[in-house]
């Protein structure tokens, strides 16, 4: 028997002001998108802003539905938006911001498992990692250099 240990390195910033102005601006776009989310069932709003290689920013937010599984997370709305509009532009950075109407969120909110798989698909497609910054309503911001940090042992096309 062989044991394999997998380690992940995350960078934790005390607050948004510790980050570069470019990342602060991207996070502000995520916050704006978050506030426009359609989340009447969970009251949990998430916004995503994606910086493309040509400096355009594409956003998305969660869209819920009375038939719950028909809704979609902010990350996938934004990524599919970017890929639909600009299929040949690489995605450089994604900023994520979450807010609950029920409590003040302070722990940075990472992408869900399904969104990690989707982000991985586009990293593989463009053959370049996508940096991800995520935060809650207030407080710390976490950065990972690649989705591989959050999704080791990804299922990728090489298995097909
Ligand atoms: N949600 C996202 O938009 N992104 C995530 O990564 C986690 C969850 C949304 C889905 C649903 O509309 C609400 O948050 C509560 O799960």
């Amino acid at each position: 028997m062989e044991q394999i240990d997998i380690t992940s390195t995350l960078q934790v910033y005390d607050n948004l002001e510790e980050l570069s102005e470019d990342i602060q601006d991207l996070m502000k776009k995520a916050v704006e998108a978050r506030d426009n989310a359609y989340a009447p069932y969970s009251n949990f709003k998430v916004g995503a802003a994606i910086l493309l290689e040509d400096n355009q920013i594409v956003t998305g937010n969660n869209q819920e539905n009375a038939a719950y599984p028909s809704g979609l997370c902010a990350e996938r709305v934004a990524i599919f938006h970017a890929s639909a509009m600009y299929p040949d532009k690489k995605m450089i950075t994604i900023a994520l911001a979450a807010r609950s109407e029920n409590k003040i969120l302070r722990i940075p909110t990472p992408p869900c498992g399904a969104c990690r798989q989707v982000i991985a698909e586009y990293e593989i497609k463009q053959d370049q990692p996508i940096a991800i910054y995520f935060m809650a309503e207030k407080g710390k911001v976490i950065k990972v250099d690649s989705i591989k940090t959050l999704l080791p042992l990804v299922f990728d096309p090489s298995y097909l």
Side-chain angles (χ1 to χ4, degrees):
M1 194 278 276
E2 181 194 359
Q3 180 172 301
I4 299 174
D5 294 322
I6 298 175
T7 55
S8 293
T9 304
L10 299 89
Q11 282 124 43
V12 183
Y13 298 85
D14 273 343
N15 52 57
L16 197 52
E17 288 68 43
E18 270 190 27
L19 291 150
S20 71
E21 268 188 30
D22 285 359
I23 298 300
Q24 291 189 39
D25 288 348
L26 193 65
M27 191 58 86
K28 276 178 199 147
K29 293 270 192 282
V31 167
E32 276 170 34
R34 178 199 73 191
D35 291 341
N36 288 329
Y38 177 61
Y41 305 104
S42 71
N43 293 315
F44 188 90
K45 293 184 168 188
V46 185
I50 302 176
L51 176 69
L52 302 181
E53 62 181 341
D54 63 355
N55 285 326
Q56 286 193 85
I57 293 175
V58 176
T59 62
N61 46 32
N62 52 328
Q63 298 293 319
E64 296 188 348
N65 194 283
Y68 290 2
S70 303
L72 199 61
C73 292
E75 294 88 332
R76 277 175 284 167
V77 170
I79 286 216
F80 294 154
H81 178 193
S83 184
M85 296 281 289
Y86 310 104
D88 301 321
K89 297 266 184 275
K90 290 188 176 178
M91 303 178 204
I92 308 296
T93 310
I94 303 181
L96 303 172
R99 181 177 193 279
S100 170
E101 313 264 292
N102 303 325
K103 58 178 183 178
I104 297 183
L105 291 181
R106 292 176 196 279
I107 299 174
T109 316
C112 78
C115 290
R116 293 178 199 197
Q117 182 68 34
V118 168
I119 295 168
E121 180 75 22
Y122 291 89
E123 252 194 29
I124 293 162
K125 173 178 176 263
Q126 68 182 30
D127 196 24
Q128 189 175 302
I130 304 172
I132 307 170
Y133 292 82
F134 52 94
M135 66 179 297
E137 188 179 349
K138 294 178 189 292
K140 294 186 193 295
V141 182
I142 293 182
K143 180 199 178 192
V144 293
D145 293 331
S146 161
I147 196 64
K148 285 182 191 147
T149 306
L150 299 179
L151 189 62
L153 298 184
V154 63
F155 181 82
D156 65 30
S158 70
Y159 293 101
L160 296 173

